[in-house]
Amino acid sequence: MGNIITGILFAVIAAIGWGASAVLSRIALEKTDPRLATIVSLFFSSIIMFSISLSTQFNEFEKLIVSDFLWFFSAGLTSFAAGRLLNYVGIKNIGVSKASPLFGTSPLFAALLAIIILNENPTIMLGMGIVIVTFGIILITKSK
Amino acid sequence: MNKFNINTGKKIKNSKKELIGYTSSLSAAISYGISAILAKIIVGQITTPLIASSFALFFGFFTLSIIFYKQLMNIKSIDKKTFLFLFLAGLASCIGVGAQYYAMNNAPVILVAPITGANALFAILFGSIFLKKIEKITPLTVIGAFMIIIGIIIIILSRT
């Protein structure tokens, strides 16, 4: 039970962290180009992340082989180079209150891709989720 | 007549800006969707989420630095305050990644996913507190955000 409460606490911290990150980047984007802002924020993020992983999981680094880096590169390209840059362009143009929920639809696309690429079975619940998300997107694009 | 033209021009400019914003945000979501598939393979077969994120962040930084090296030359144009906000934004997102990792290690996905999926609500909440001067948050935006979050929770739970 204690573990579950710890897990829930960390989940809340994660949600607050991402919410805060979107707002902080919105403030920074008032005076900066999104391309430059993305590069600078990725620089800081990678330093912080390497510090955490080196201090907590140093032994895991020794297990890596050269071909693993191709996977990391692909993930970096889609997740951070394209993903964060496009997210920042979105935040700059429509604001954090509209861009964040739209950006949050990524699990929908992950689910669709999993059906296509990983041959996962589509379910009625998934269909329901897609319909609700689509209505949410329409409402956000209609709000002035 | 002139006034009408100026207003029409502003409207066209704003709608173009909105179109770019919506397209970029949804494209970012697609991009993250693709990376989630890659992450599933990486974490299942290669290494831990923290190490994978560290290298992915570095490669993301490296790739953009090469593509946009001209913009990078203007780095001196960024003032100290903006640098601080970008550092804090990077730190907050790292806290998000790290905390999600520890949350998943301690509690089942069925509890963690709905909470982390609601991060947009925190963005809207913080935005309504700290971005009063630069952002207008409408009830329709909040309802839309709620619907997206509920839909995403259903999608995540349907896959667990």
Side-chain angles (χ1 to χ4, degrees), chain B residues 2 6 11 28 50 59 65 89-90 112 117-118 147:
Chain B
N2 268 347
I6 289 165
K11 271 188 182 175
L50 286 181
F59 283 123
S65 299
V112 174
M147 285 187 77

Side-chain angles (χ1 to χ4, degrees), chain B residues 52-70:
Chain B
S53 300
S54 305
F55 282 109
L57 277 163
F58 171 75
F59 283 123
F61 159 73
F62 184 70
T63 309
L64 287 185
S65 299
I66 291 169
I67 296 171
F68 300 119
Y69 72 95
K70 279 184 185 171

Side-chain angles (χ1 to χ4, degrees), chain A residues 45-91:
Chain A
S45 294
S46 46
I47 287 177
I48 296 164
M49 211 47 144
F50 265 115
S51 309
I52 297 169
S53 51
L54 277 168
S55 58
T56 58
Q57 300 173 348
F58 186 76
N59 294 339
E60 292 291 326
F61 280 87
E62 291 171 357
K63 296 175 189 166
L64 297 175
I65 54 171
V66 177
S67 62
D68 295 343
F69 289 89
L70 196 65
W71 286 101
F72 299 147
F73 179 74
S74 310
L77 213 60
T78 52
S79 183
F80 297 111
R84 190 174 290 191
L85 175 65
L86 289 165
N87 185 28
Y88 276 13
V89 173
I91 288 174

Side-chain angles (χ1 to χ4, degrees), chain A residues 3 10 21 23 25 28 33 37 43 53 61 65 79 88-89 96-97 100 104 117 122 124 127 131 134 141 143-144:
Chain A
N3 269 1
F10 274 112
S21 175
V23 172
S25 53
D33 179 274
F43 171 75
S53 51
F61 280 87
I65 54 171
S79 183
Y88 276 13
V89 173
V96 75
S97 61
S100 288
I117 300 168
I124 295 170
V131 171
T134 310
T141 53
S143 66
K144 295 287 170 196

Side-chain angles (χ1 to χ4, degrees), chain B residues 42-118:
Chain B
I42 292 170
V43 174
Q45 298 170 13
I46 299 173
T47 190
T48 66
L50 286 181
I51 292 174
S53 300
S54 305
F55 282 109
L57 277 163
F58 171 75
F59 283 123
F61 159 73
F62 184 70
T63 309
L64 287 185
S65 299
I66 291 169
I67 296 171
F68 300 119
Y69 72 95
K70 279 184 185 171
Q71 278 73 26
L72 198 57
M73 295 297 160
N74 293 329
I75 197 155
K76 282 182 182 171
S77 67
I78 302 179
D79 59 47
K80 279 181 186 172
K81 210 174 164 185
T82 308
F83 253 118
L84 178 69
F85 281 118
L86 287 171
F87 168 75
L88 292 173
L91 178 68
S93 77
C94 287
I95 289 171
V97 174
Q100 189 195 31
Y101 173 70
Y102 286 105
M104 292 286 197
N105 272 350
N106 286 291
V109 181
I110 202 159
L111 284 175
V112 174
I115 300 168
T116 54

